[in-house]
Amino acid sequence: MPQNIKVAVDAVVFGYEQKKLSVLLIKRGIAPYLGSWALPGGLVHDEESLENAVRRELMEETNVTIDYLEQLYTFGTPNRDPRNRVISVSYFALVSPQNFKIDASTDAADVQWFPMDALPELAFDHKKIIDAALDRLRNKINYQPIGFELLNSEFPFSDLEQLYQTILNKSLDRRNFRKKIMSFGILTETDKMHQPTSGRPAKLYQFNAEKYSELLNEGFHFEIKFA
């Protein structure tokens, strides 16, 4: 039977800033779902790869450029788009919003960061895509030390703890979390101290990317299990 299937890409860009997790959304400037909020994305051109397509759509609709986007999942329910049969290959990333100056263009009428706990009603099946991306992110931090690029180059351990708690949306056993992370040997203690507005000063640490790379080459397996 003849096929009339189109291929699209959608990007779930999570932001972490001021102890909050957010997601980047665009307001659609065209039908269907005119005026509704949605993920950045669109149809793949005949001559481009999926990776180039998602980077192009992000730049066109949000003015955001991300070096690394991880492929998430393929969504292909027959009626997910009222115009055509569209299969969407989704991607996700975790970034710091302060590093970008967002700006809507092409078929996006607006672009905003929305807190994960206050998302608007979304077009298409984009809520389902965001839920899948969040689930992947929460699983991923169990076996890969993601997120260090979101912290200052030197940070108190409490900032790392807060990052994990924000992504997981739950409190951690602070003593066990610290013991587990420190046992990996991927944090380097500096000779500097952090002075909070209240409370005692705290030591500052750095993520040792070179040490982590060496450990991976030796067969190191990063794993944190949360109850």
Side-chain angles (χ1 to χ4, degrees), residues 24 58-59 61-65 96-104 111 113:
L24 187 64
L58 270 173
M59 172 54 68
E61 294 185 336
T62 71
N63 195 43
V64 167
T65 301
S96 179
Q98 66 184 5
N99 294 333
F100 303 95
K101 184 178 180 180
I102 57 177
D103 182 43
V111 57
W113 290 99

Side-chain angles (χ1 to χ4, degrees), residues 21-26 37 111-120:
L21 191 66
S22 56
V23 66
L24 187 64
L25 299 177
I26 59 109
W37 291 96
V111 57
Q112 289 184 34
W113 290 99
F114 282 87
M116 280 299 299
D117 58 0
L119 294 180

